[in-house]
Amino acid sequence: VPCVFCRKDGPLSDEHVFPKWLQPHLAPDGEDGTHRRLIFRAGETEVAEHAYRGQPATQVVKAVCKECNEGWMGRLEGEAKPYLLSMVRGNTRSYYRQGQTLIASWFVKTALVAGSKFKPSLPTEFYSAMFEDHRPSTNTRVWLAATPYTGHHQSDFRPIRIEPDDRPPHSEPNCFSAMIVADQVVGFVVSWLDAVPSTDRLLEEFGPALVRVWPVAEPKVTWPSPAGRLDFAQLDALADTVVAIDDVTAGRGVPNG
Ligand SMILES: [Zn+2]
């Protein structure tokens, strides 16, 4: 099996979805740790939904080669770590262009690693774009938000099939949304290939609470947003804004209009 990022065959090493350096800051048992996986199977409209209460903090995937793990991904971890740890400790942080790019890249990398367990796999383009540029593609949006919960962690990954009017339905996802929560820090990622998902609801309902970091739009942004922190119900609602669980499990897999 080739590495999801560089496509080279080679021994794959265990990759933590939440890196080891974050784990001391995440709740040790499953009480607050939930994550959800939606499983798409080629040619089937039914989508299996699995909700886990467990320890996503220690979730490991075997999809990345040692060279990527210790190379560009290790460098990205090293660069993002001080910023993330500062936010985890509750510090307000301002990000300039380079910082916004860095933090956005970390969340997209983490979302892609979390999503690498899904079958059918996301199209390789999602991974190769990140591998080649070490930053999110232009077809990607990343926002930061905040929760009041320390130790909370969550990875909610949703592959999406967007079906434009005049084209046949995709058999594999051509879009995904992902919410990665590490302690008080929330990253929300939407990425697509050939058809743009609607983020209208996302912006209508959560706009003020979101700090956009990719593509970089403001020379300086500050986390957390003064508009407030999202509680558990709001986190679930945010994860539903691009594609609701009901739409996905009903096989529609289309974004909310
Ligand atoms: Zn690799």
Side-chain angles (χ1 to χ4, degrees), residues 3-8 63-69 72 131:
C3 167
V4 286
F5 285 106
C6 69
R7 308 302 302 166
K8 280 185 208 143
V64 178
C65 75
K66 200 175 170 203
E67 211 174 305
C68 284
N69 193 342
W72 69 272
F131 172 67

Side-chain angles (χ1 to χ4, degrees), residues 38-70:
L38 300 173
I39 299 178
F40 282 73
R41 292 195 175 83
E44 291 179 16
T45 53
E46 287 297 303
V47 178
E49 180 188 347
H50 294 275
Y52 294 91
R53 290 198 83 80
Q55 300 185 25
T58 54
Q59 193 188 355
V60 167
V61 297
K62 224 179 178 70
V64 178
C65 75
K66 200 175 170 203
E67 211 174 305
C68 284
N69 193 342
E70 293 176 359

Side-chain angles (χ1 to χ4, degrees), residues 179-193:
M179 189 167 69
I180 304 288
V181 186
D183 191 84
Q184 305 171 55
V185 189
V186 180
F188 193 74
V189 176
V190 180
S191 189
W192 65 91
L193 293 180

Side-chain angles (χ1 to χ4, degrees), residues 7-85:
R7 308 302 302 166
K8 280 185 208 143
D9 282 311
L12 303 179
S13 55
D14 286 340
E15 178 78 19
H16 284 87
V17 173
F18 290 93
K20 276 185 181 160
W21 52 263
L22 256 178
Q23 290 175 16
H25 302 277
L26 306 179
D29 60 37
E31 200 50 38
D32 288 333
T34 59
H35 62 293
R36 192 182 273 137
R37 294 176 56 199
L38 300 173
I39 299 178
F40 282 73
R41 292 195 175 83
E44 291 179 16
T45 53
E46 287 297 303
V47 178
E49 180 188 347
H50 294 275
Y52 294 91
R53 290 198 83 80
Q55 300 185 25
T58 54
Q59 193 188 355
V60 167
V61 297
K62 224 179 178 70
V64 178
C65 75
K66 200 175 170 203
E67 211 174 305
C68 284
N69 193 342
E70 293 176 359
W72 69 272
M73 292 173 78
R75 285 193 295 275
L76 177 57
E77 291 291 341
E79 288 174 20
K81 180 177 169 177
Y83 296 96
L84 283 157
L85 285 181

